[in-house]
Amino acid sequence: MTKLVTLTVFAGVLAYMGFQVADALYHPLKTVGATLYETEETFSAAGYFIRDERLLETGTGITQVLISEGQRVGKMQSIAEVYANDGALTAKKQMSGLDERISLLETAASRGS
């Protein structure tokens, strides 16, 4: 029974290969040379570009800008912080550094347990 299945599969594969060879001999592929070229389409326009910008005035104190020049600002996004003096700015920077260290320690502690 196994020999019969093997012979049937072998005959099928042999017939398939014979069909592929005959098809390649009697219907060869036709090829055509291709030409490479580049094209470009341009246009010019004249007009006005209007931006809706507002100048933000700061109060007295030290201003720390939170975004970079030209960066888009989202709705209700903070763009600057104003501090009363150098001491307040230094305290804020120290708090931010400590918050970052706490976050790192919490992450390390959660991975360890």
Side-chain angles (χ1 to χ4, degrees):
M1 183 68 173
T2 308
K3 286 186 179 184
L4 180 62
V5 172
T6 305
L7 282 172
T8 305
V9 170
F10 180 72
V13 170
L14 195 60
Y16 177 76
M17 289 175 57
F19 175 75
Q20 292 297 326
V21 169
D23 188 49
L25 290 174
Y26 293 110
H27 301 103
L29 293 176
K30 294 180 182 176
T31 59
V32 177
T35 304
L36 178 65
Y37 67 94
E38 293 182 21
T39 183
E40 183 176 316
E41 186 175 328
T42 62
F43 71 94
S44 62
Y48 295 99
F49 184 70
I50 300 171
R51 295 170 58 135
D52 183 20
E53 295 180 346
R54 283 181 266 155
L55 180 63
L56 299 176
E57 306 257 343
T58 61
T60 59
I62 299 172
T63 304
Q64 182 182 19
V65 180
L66 303 175
I67 59 171
S68 61
E69 183 72 30
Q71 182 180 353
R72 288 181 175 247
V73 179
K75 189 174 187 177
M76 301 303 295
Q77 180 182 355
S78 296
I79 58 172
E81 294 175 342
V82 179
Y83 298 98
N85 54 33
D86 283 332
L89 178 59
T90 304
K92 171 66 175 170
K93 287 182 180 180
Q94 286 175 346
M95 258 181 31
S96 295
L98 291 173
D99 286 341
E100 185 177 332
R101 288 180 63 190
I102 289 170
S103 175
L104 289 172
L105 289 171
E106 287 174 345
T107 303
S110 67
R111 287 185 183 167
S113 57

